Every structure is written in structure tokens, then in C-alpha cells.
Amino acid sequence: MYNISRILGGAAIALAAFAGALSSAHAAPRTDFKVCTSIYAGWMPWGEAQAQGILAKWGKKYGITISAVQLNDYVESINQYTAGKFDGCTMTNMDALTIPAAGGVDSTALIVGDYSNGNDGIVLKGKKKLADIKGQSVQLVEFSVSHYLLARALETAGLRERDVKVVNTSDADITAAFATPAVTSTVTWNPMLSSIAASPDVSLVYTSKQLPGEIMDLMVVNTKTLQENPAFGKALTGAWYEMMSIMTAKDERATRALTAMGKASGTDLAGFQSQLAATAMFYQPKAALDFATKKELPTIMGRIAKFSFDHGILGPNVKSADGIGIAFDGNVVIGDKKNVKLRFDPTYMKMAADGKL
């Protein structure tokens, strides 16, 4: 379900939406905004912020309204953002590059919420080590971070992608598919990963803990929308860090919030806490700011851009891994400086860290 034709189709829609938006460049500031999210431990706080009225509270502070909508299909949520149906969306750093940025939609990583520290992994049936994956059909969401994780893992085992067969499978279907006798290996993320790994005779042979900082979980927003409506960025960021404060308070309210997030993601409090334990959450804005401005970030994104180009998922008009510009703190840009479509902008995280929201 996640394939080249779908990406390119989404890109065409996005380009049309983007072109239409240019004609209203001088429109009055907006007051209503929508973001979308999907089921993942690091993104569940957005739904809880909506449920608790925290998004409404911060929107009111800045004279706007923001709503967060949870979609069950991760890739579809990004496609809808790319097509202009949402002003922001939760996604990984790789998917931010290969879908909206590759589709021509200039996007900003407003908040770096965490990086996967074991929440993504490779599981095998009846086998105990990664090298045993050779010759197997591997189900995963093709061209996603799961695919990237597989490629990086295979390198460590002295294998290449040609040594396995990738079977594209929607995240919504991956657990049920693995339960069938025919499927013996998969790459996925939590909560699906923990459910699958708990099955009899199943081994977790590689996780994102072995790639610290490479799979980031972001709130990505439309750059033009953010530039024209800074109140949107301020309210969204303020709501996020209030939720982070609630989650780390170690009181009854924190327990209620964590329990609700666990239930919304199909598990219980203990299950959700185990997923958070495999997530390097940046609960404090200073921690997020430090990560978003680290000197290694351009190197990581350069590696991901190369993987994406090598797999043909940056689009037919991108002629090299440097075809799309990616901007970072301190005016650092990798790739084409005339075609910057993804920005790691720490401005609003810094506001939060400085207590200026």
C-alpha cells in the first residue's frame, strides 16, 4: 500500500495544493488549524493534549484554535498532510524527507519529540540471530524507516538487501499477517512490535537501540503556514511541553494521562510504559533543543537521503542524493540550497526552553 505510485500521486496532489497556496500569500493570518497523528508511543501525547483541552488552552492564549486528529494508517496521515488537508503531522525524519519534501511541500520539523531507542525492530520466527534472515521474505512498510532499519541491520550481518525479499505490508495489517504460518520475519514499530515479539518462538534480533538518534519522531508543519502564523507554532509547542510536564509529574494526573494514552494505543498502562522505555523522549525542551542543534544531525540526514535516493523514493526529478535541500540550525544546509524542502528549525523549542511561550 505504500509504494512509488502512491508517493508520486501524493506528490502531484501536494504540488497542486502548494501552488494554490502561493496565490494567497498575502491573506490575513488564519485562526483555525488542524494536525494529524497516528498510533505510536511518542505521538500519543497529542491525542491526550486534545482530550484534556490543553491544545484548546494554548490556542486560546494565542487567539487561535488547534485540533489534533488521530488516523489509524500512518502513511495515509502523511499523505493527507502532504495533500494540504492538515497543517501539521507526526512523522519520522525519513518520511518527512521522502513524502512531503520529495512531493514539493516545504516542511519544518517544529518539534523533535524523541528518537526510537528500541521501539523499532526486526523479529524472526523460529530463528535466534539476525544472520538467519538471509533468504527470507520480510514484511514491512516499504520505503519507511522500517526499510531503512532493515538495510542498516543487514550491513552489520554482512548481508545486502538482495539477500532477502521485501514484502510491502501496511502497518495496519502487519500484526495479523505475522500471525499466519507463511510469514516468518517482519520489521515494524511499537505497539505492533511488542505484540509480535511476545508471540511463541519469536526472537527480536535487531532494534533501533543499535542506531541511536537515527530514527527521529517529529511534529512536522507546513513551513509557509508557520511563517505566516507564528501563533500556530507557539501554541503547538506550548501544548506539547505542558503534556511532557504532566507525563513526568509522577502523580495521579500523570497516571491517568499515561493510562489513557495506553488505552488509545491498544494497550494498558504497563504496556505503554514499556513502549516509552524504548523511546528516548525529550521531556524537557532543552533536551530537544540540544538534539536538534547537534553537529551530527546533518550527517544522519545525509545518510538517510542517500538511502532514499538509492531506493528511488525521492521522485523522478531528483537526480542525486543531494537533490533536496535540508536546512539545520546555524544556516547549515545539505543538498541543494536552491531547493530546500525540509527544515530542522529549533526556534520554537528554544522559546520553550527559554520560558518565552
Side-chain angles (χ1 to χ4, degrees):
M1 117 178 244
Y2 182 40
N3 52 39
I4 291 292
S5 62
R6 180 161 188 172
I7 294 172
L8 297 182
I13 295 171
L15 286 169
F18 189 62
L22 290 176
S23 65
S24 58
H26 303 292
R30 291 168 48 198
T31 57
D32 293 307
F33 302 88
K34 288 197 307 180
V35 299
C36 59
T37 186
S38 55
I39 297 174
Y40 176 74
W43 296 330
M44 300 313 294
W46 288 112
E48 186 63 10
Q50 172 77 30
Q52 288 200 24
I54 293 171
L55 277 172
K57 168 189 167 183
W58 280 89
K60 184 176 180 181
K61 178 176 180 177
Y62 289 102
I64 62 175
T65 61
I66 304 175
S67 61
V69 178
Q70 179 177 296
L71 302 179
N72 291 331
D73 188 310
Y74 168 62
V75 175
E76 180 60 22
S77 70
I78 307 175
N79 284 339
Q80 289 200 26
Y81 160 77
T82 303
K85 294 182 180 180
F86 291 93
D87 303 295
C89 183
T90 55
M91 63 189 79
T92 68
N93 49 324
M94 178 177 159
D95 296 323
L97 174 66
T98 62
I99 307 182
V105 178
D106 192 328
S107 296
T108 295
L110 180 76
I111 300 169
V112 180
D114 66 84
Y115 66 81
S116 178
N117 196 34
N119 257 331
D120 297 75
I122 303 173
V123 291
L124 301 180
K125 276 182 190 171
K127 303 293 182 181
K128 305 245 179 233
K129 58 183 186 296
L130 177 61
D132 293 329
I133 202 171
K134 185 175 182 179
Q136 294 202 33
S137 295
V138 185
Q139 64 164 3
L140 51 75
V141 178
E142 196 174 16
F143 308 133
S144 71
V145 292
S146 292
H147 200 158
Y148 175 76
L149 179 73
L150 174 66
R152 294 279 279 133
L154 290 173
E155 291 174 7
T156 69
L159 300 172
R160 299 183 182 182
E161 280 190 63
R162 67 188 182 197
D163 294 316
V164 300
K165 179 183 178 182
V166 169
V167 180
N168 185 34
T169 310
S170 164
D171 58 302
D173 300 327
I174 213 157
T175 302
F178 191 78
T180 63
V183 178
T184 57
S185 66
T186 194
V187 189
T188 189
W189 57 86
N190 276 324
M192 294 83 72
L193 179 64
S194 58
S195 175
I196 290 171
S199 305
D201 198 28
V202 170
S203 297
L204 183 61
V205 297
Y206 192 91
T207 77
S208 53
K209 196 167 187 177
Q210 290 156 275
L211 299 174
E214 293 195 30
I215 300 177
M216 307 164 213
D217 301 311
L218 317 170
M219 169 54 78
V220 172
V221 299
N222 183 283
T223 299
K224 184 172 182 291
T225 299
L226 180 64
Q227 290 174 345
E228 293 181 348
N229 304 275
F232 172 50
K234 292 178 181 179
L236 209 55
T237 306
W240 175 256
Y241 287 112
E242 180 169 340
M243 272 306 308
M244 295 299 99
S245 178
I246 290 170
M247 290 170 65
T248 54
K250 300 185 185 301
D251 58 13
E252 186 177 335
R253 187 181 184 187
T255 300
R256 289 197 306 269
L258 292 168
T259 300
M261 285 184 270
K263 183 178 180 180
S265 61
T267 186
D268 55 13
L269 176 60
F272 188 64
Q273 287 177 322
S274 71
Q275 291 174 30
L276 286 176
T279 311
M281 294 291 296
F282 298 125
Y283 290 109
Q284 301 296 328
K286 177 63 165 57
L289 179 64
D290 289 346
F291 183 87
T293 56
K294 65 187 297 188
K295 64 180 180 180
E296 295 86 0
L297 199 56
T299 300
I300 290 172
M301 289 307 300
R303 186 181 296 127
I304 287 172
K306 183 180 185 306
F307 169 88
S308 302
F309 176 74
D310 289 347
H311 286 75
I313 50 178
L314 292 182
N317 296 322
V318 177
K319 306 304 181 185
S320 75
D322 296 324
I324 297 174
I326 308 172
F328 304 88
D329 181 54
N331 296 315
V332 173
V333 177
I334 64 170
D336 189 347
K337 294 182 179 180
K338 296 181 180 180
N339 187 40
V340 174
K341 295 299 180 185
L342 180 59
R343 305 166 193 270
F344 286 82
D345 183 354
T347 299
Y348 293 85
M349 289 178 284
K350 187 175 190 307
M351 287 182 188
D354 293 342
K356 294 183 178 179
L357 289 177

